[in-house]
Structure formats: structure tokens, C-alpha cells
Amino acid sequence: NRDSYPFHFLGIIPDDEQVVIGTNQGSPVISIHSAAGTAYSNICRRILGEEVEFLDLNHAQSFLSRLAGRFRKN
């Protein structure tokens, strides 16, 4: 629950494989189409005083989870 934090909650940056791809290409995270880029942008907008919905990270699967799933035995 965000209301239980003793500070103003700005957001969470999700684990995102697009960050690695963008970094390798020299692109700033905020300029690539990714969950992390969207999260950074939303945090910036909140700092500037905008009301921005928080991303739903419950359905997001991390890069490491997907990678581990490929090596799991069925």
C-alpha cells in the first residue's frame, strides 16, 4: 500500500530487457518504447506536479523470469 510509506511515492522502475538493448544502442531509457522508459517518464511527470496513473506491474514478467522459464524442464 503506497499510503503506508513515510514519503511521497513517485513510482517503481520495472526490470526491462529493453533497457539493455537501448543501452547497447546508446539510446536513453526514456526515449525507447519500454515499460522502464514509461515508468521514468511518469516519475518525471509526477515530479512536475502532474497526476499520472501508476503502471500495473502485477502482470509484468521480469526478463530473468522469462529467461529462467526457457531453461526449465517440463
Side-chain angles (χ1 to χ4, degrees):
N1 184 343
R2 290 189 310 263
D3 297 329
S4 64
Y5 292 109
F7 51 87
H8 184 71
F9 187 76
L10 294 173
I12 296 173
I13 308 298
D15 182 28
D16 189 339
E17 66 186 271
Q18 291 300 317
V19 172
V20 175
I21 295 168
T23 301
N24 288 339
Q25 296 173 347
S27 299
V29 172
I30 205 161
S31 70
I32 60 176
H33 180 70
S34 68
T38 301
Y40 276 113
S41 178
N42 288 350
I43 287 172
C44 293
R45 292 171 56 200
R46 287 186 198 102
I47 290 171
L48 294 172
E50 278 187 58
E51 294 278 332
V52 181
E53 291 289 321
F54 287 90
L55 296 176
D56 180 12
L57 300 177
N58 292 326
H59 294 94
Q61 187 181 25
S62 75
F63 170 70
L64 293 177
S65 297
R66 289 192 304 269
L67 184 62
R70 292 182 188 207
F71 294 101
R72 233 179 258 137
K73 291 183 180 179
N74 289 330

